[in-house]
């Protein structure tokens, strides 16, 4: 047997439009990571994305895991959450901030999309992160990138 194959199909794919001046960050070791080419000193804003094979309750499990992690974060503040359909796929989106350390607050938006493929389910996760003092400059670009997300079965 092999991967990918009919028995074990390749993971779903995705694409995201990134703004001018954003570049790939292959050194991150992640499936997909981009950052601004000329980022200011301090925390490096970034957008990462990944795909992983999951069970049929992938979205519910991923939301529960996000909630478990949030419960352990200092000064967690949620700006909003919701579920929707993205190109016919179930999706979840949440925006929040938390105190990472004494002198650093992080803001994140996380989008989860489930691609159901017969007996397989792929979970696409997109996470945008910046420091709290970078939100005014970076948040709209994060929202545009997130809104451009297209997922497809491989």
């Amino acid at each position: 047997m092999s991967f990918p194959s009919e028995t074990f199909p390749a993971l779903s794919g995705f694409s995201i439009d990134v703004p001018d001046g954003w570049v790939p960050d292959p050194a991150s070791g992640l499936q997909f990571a981009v950052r601004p080419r000329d980022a200011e000193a301090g925390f490096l804003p970034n957008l990462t994305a990944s795909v992983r094979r999951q069970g049929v309750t992938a979205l519910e499990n991923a939301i529960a895991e996000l909630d478990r992690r949030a419960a352990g974060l200092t000064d967690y503040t949620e700006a909003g959450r919701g579920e929707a359909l993205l190109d016919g796929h179930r999706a979840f989106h949440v925006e929040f901030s938390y105190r990472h350390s004494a002198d650093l607050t992080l803001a994140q938006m996380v989008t989860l999309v489930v691609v159901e493929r017969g007996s397989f389910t792929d979970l696409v996760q997109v996470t945008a992160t910046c420091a709290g003092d970078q939100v005014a400059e970076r948040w709209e670009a994060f929202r545009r990138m997130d809104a451009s997300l297209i997922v497809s079965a491989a």
Side-chain angles (χ1 to χ4, degrees):
M1 296 196 176
S2 62
F3 175 85
S5 66
E6 188 173 313
T7 306
F8 299 104
L11 294 170
S12 296
F14 60 88
S15 65
I16 298 172
D17 294 335
V18 299
D20 290 340
W22 281 66
V23 296
D25 188 5
S28 70
L30 301 171
Q31 287 174 330
F32 182 98
V34 294
R35 61 174 176 73
R37 177 182 299 117
D38 299 317
E40 59 276 6
F43 185 83
L44 183 61
N46 63 81
L47 183 136
T48 63
S50 63
V51 182
R52 61 187 186 266
R53 186 95 349 115
Q54 299 285 293
V56 293
T57 57
L59 187 58
E60 293 78 10
N61 291 344
I63 293 169
E65 179 60 25
L66 283 173
D67 290 342
R68 275 191 296 278
R69 289 181 184 172
L73 296 174
T74 304
D75 297 335
Y76 177 85
T77 303
E78 193 169 291
R81 68 170 50 208
E83 293 189 38
L85 288 178
L86 177 68
D87 297 327
H89 305 287
R90 293 184 318 134
F92 171 81
H93 180 84
V94 62
E95 298 181 7
F96 58 93
S97 64
Y98 63 96
R99 188 162 37 92
H100 179 70
S101 64
D103 58 348
L104 179 62
T105 295
L106 292 180
Q108 290 189 306
M109 66 173 57
V110 176
T111 297
L112 305 168
V113 182
V114 171
V115 182
E116 295 175 353
R117 307 174 60 196
S119 60
F120 292 95
T121 300
D122 292 339
L123 180 71
V124 178
Q125 179 171 336
V126 177
T127 304
T129 308
C130 68
D133 62 357
Q134 298 168 331
V135 168
E137 179 183 358
R138 301 292 180 184
W139 212 250
E140 283 309 312
F142 285 161
R143 284 195 173 132
R144 284 191 303 275
M145 285 187 277
D146 192 72
S148 76
L149 174 64
I150 297 172
V151 296
S152 59

